[in-house]
Amino acid sequence: MYDYLIVGAGLYGAVFARQAKERGKTVLVIDKRPHIAGNVYTEEVEGIQVHQYGAHIFHTNNRQVWEYVNRFAEFNRFTNSPVANYHGELYSLPFNMYTFNKMWGVVTPQEAAEKIEEQKKAAGITEPENLEEQAISLVGTDIYEKLVKGYTEKQWGRPCTELPAFIIKRLPVRFTFDNNYFNALYQGIPVGGYTGMVQRMLDGIEVRLGVDYLEQKEELEWLARKVVYTGPIDAYFGYRLGYLEYRSVRFETEVLDTPNFQGNAAVNYTDRETPWTRIIEHKWFEFGRAADGSELPKTVISREYSSEWKPGGEPYYPVNDEKNGKLYAEYEKLAAQEDKVIFGGRLGEYKYYDMDAVIASALARVEEELSVK
Ligand SMILES: Cc1cc2nc3c(=O)[nH]c(=O)nc-3n(C[C@H](O)[C@H](O)[C@H](O)COP(=O)(O)OP(=O)(O)OC[C@H]3O[C@@H](n4cnc5c(N)ncnc54)[C@H](O)[C@@H]3O)c2cc1C
């Protein structure tokens, strides 16, 4: 009999398992996938750490979380500076002085601010009724047309005029020459990949892979006093109240016989005509070098396509709208009646969590759990 059976070897499960183990508890971790690390899983291909479930850049303002992850990995100094490609015109992201200079030839912050104001005024939108009007009222027509419109329409699979205004509350605009996408105090990528980091979290902990909890629930639940479940909450209850919806992403990954395909980790394709939203070139997360510092002759790229999620497909981004919020609240009531089970993580709580937030949430939950025992 274990103290905890942890369903899911992603970040939530691994952090919970590590902390429980350090407090003398016995733990068994299972995952239905053939690997640990959940969606932050990275795999080495041609000497390159490939982010199999989408690019993951660790960034946080939470010092406790930063110190915690640094116990399990050394982080490099990677800074996320994506480039936008609009029909072959390249712009810096997030919107900053380099973007404005390229777009309008303006040189000073004042000129850039005036240009945006002028375009906002010319559009004359006072009460935005859809996402298009909202975006134009925030950044003017040029930035909207070239950098927001096509990308957003591909992400949501609908024209911006049919999307609600509230999706975009603000669009960050910087009047400095700063291409750092995140406003975070700490940022980087674990040297050698995320899988190694999670492996070290799970050091000394029993892990069984390729085991689906819901298929063997009867036998498995008796193995432990308590279960920590990080799978989809609606699946746990057999979808008895209906399906929670997600947006999904499809990745097409290729090895190319060239050392440098696009010169940057992320290039966003912001026009509507290019079918993919982004291309990730994985080697640039580690500055194009192998673990021993040597140059890598090949490269690995992933094209990302935003797609509709269908039941049975890989769930990525929870759709936090009113309909799904209400349904989740009903599932939460069912979950509250399961006194042997803790529901956690992005699928268990149906919540978009960045990595730092999911780690903070697991640390808080395990602390709460162990302090009452
Ligand atoms: C495309 C994409 C890009 C992202 N990029 C970033 C980024 O750049 N920076 C950032 O901070 N965050 C990013 N995130 C968020 C990050 O992926 C999450 O914060 C993190 O993975 C959540 O961890 P988790 O343990 O909750 O979930 P998961 O990693 O999904 O782990 C859950 C695990 O449970 C297992 N499981 C589910 N059901 C069962 C079952 N029935 N039986 C057994 N096992 C089961 C699954 O196989 C999975 O391994 C991104 C997310 C996505 C979708």
Side-chain angles (χ1 to χ4, degrees), residues 7-13 30-33 37-40 53-59 182 211-214 229-232 249 251 316-317 345-347 352-356 358:
V7 181
L11 281 176
Y12 191 97
I30 61 168
D31 202 297
K32 66 178 180 182
R33 288 176 175 166
N39 274 17
V40 307
Y53 299 89
H56 278 76
I57 298 132
F58 198 94
H59 57 100
F182 296 117
V211 181
D212 188 328
Y213 179 69
L214 298 177
Y229 177 83
T230 73
V249 192
F251 302 100
Y316 280 99
Y317 299 103
R346 67 181 190 102
L347 302 167
Y352 182 82
Y353 270 127
D354 271 330
M355 290 181 276
D356 62 332
V358 92

Side-chain angles (χ1 to χ4, degrees), residues 74 233 273 275:
E74 185 187 351
I233 188 168
E273 289 67 32

Side-chain angles (χ1 to χ4, degrees), residues 104-122:
W104 302 308
V106 293
V107 171
T108 65
Q110 191 182 335
E111 285 168 352
E114 280 169 9
K115 191 80 190 168
I116 291 175
E117 262 327 294
E118 181 191 305
Q119 295 206 347
K120 282 159 70 168
K121 234 187 222 147

